[in-house]
Amino acid sequence: MKDKSTQGDFWCWILSILNLFDFFTLLFSFGFFYVLSIVFLKTGGLNLLSYVPAVYLQCLVIFCLGDLKHYLWHRFMHALPFWELHKYHHSATEFNLITTSRGHFLERGVLVFFDSLLFSLMGAPLAYFAIFLWIKEFYNQLLHSNLNWSLGWFGKYIFVSPKAHKLHHSKAPEFYGKNFGGIFVFWDRLFGTFMSTEKEITIGLEENPYNAYGFWWDMMEGVKAFGKSSLLLTKKLF
Ligand SMILES: [Zn+2]
Ligand SMILES: [Zn+2]
């Protein structure tokens, strides 16, 4: 495995399939996101899904809301200081089937928190989320698999195309902050963040501190950058 970016993808992928990624998320965050999630799950519980009558409709609602949650979480990760964590996903310099696993441990923690918010609001059975996660995982692999498919009309109005997600990963500033969607493209349409192009796209970061010294160095660098950015932001606010 020559490409250093792919080595990072491989680490994330192997830790995920060994069920160790969450363990490191727990360790790196001192359990913070998990405690916060448990608090939300215990105190929340609006059980809004009980107002939806049929099971197939409940699945559809969870599917759409799960995708909206992904969109909102993704936009959140592009704002400082959280961008410093999500930046690791964007530091990939080439796409392959396992790039979808590429992410910082703490970024995963933020996702766990967003999941718990949706779960406590809707009160859906875990099986509904499992179906959604399985499809999302498969679709995410497609988005990161270096295919140049635009999906025609569907890619414009219904589904996020591999080409659209490639644009999201572009190095060029003109494409920053576009195409946050996971499965459905209509969230980007609705919130005005959809963009398409016929230009050739090069993925990565303009200034990339990652992929040079190995996976664990990258993880620590992410923590440091996130800490620094959080401090700066706090100083600005107070
Ligand atoms: Zn992103
Ligand atoms: Zn991506």
Side-chain angles (χ1 to χ4, degrees), residues 89 95 144 165 168-169:
H89 178 69
F95 275 169
H144 293 96
H165 194 67
H168 176 75
H169 276 259

Side-chain angles (χ1 to χ4, degrees), residues 60-72 75 132 156-160 179-194:
L60 196 70
V61 167
I62 283 297
F63 199 82
C64 288
L65 287 182
D67 198 49
L68 174 63
K69 177 224 66 186
H70 174 90
Y71 176 90
L72 296 172
R75 275 196 85 162
F132 171 70
K156 268 188 180 166
Y157 300 103
I158 312 285
F159 298 114
V160 178
N179 301 351
F180 292 102
I183 296 175
F184 297 122
V185 80
F186 42 71
W187 305 122
D188 278 299
R189 286 278 179 190
L190 189 68
F191 297 111
T193 51
F194 176 76

Side-chain angles (χ1 to χ4, degrees), residues 73-75 77-78 83 86-87 89-90 107 165 168-169 178-180:
W73 163 80
H74 197 175
R75 275 196 85 162
M77 294 313 296
H78 273 253
W83 165 245
H86 185 57
K87 207 172 168 179
H89 178 69
H90 279 261
E107 177 182 35
H165 194 67
H168 176 75
H169 276 259
K178 301 291 175 193
N179 301 351
F180 292 102

Side-chain angles (χ1 to χ4, degrees), residues 21-22 25 33-34 37 66-74 76-77 82 85-86 100-101 103-119 129 132-133 136-137 140:
F21 202 90
D22 282 312
T25 300
F33 296 109
Y34 293 90
S37 301
D67 198 49
L68 174 63
K69 177 224 66 186
H70 174 90
Y71 176 90
L72 296 172
W73 163 80
H74 197 175
F76 185 78
M77 294 313 296
F82 298 96
L85 301 173
H86 185 57
T100 181
S101 316
H104 195 281
F105 295 136
L106 295 182
E107 177 182 35
R108 165 99 184 128
V110 183
L111 184 61
V112 167
F113 173 65
F114 269 71
D115 283 343
S116 75
L117 278 183
L118 180 64
F119 193 81
F129 284 97
F132 171 70
L133 283 176
K136 188 183 139 215
E137 208 50 43
N140 259 330

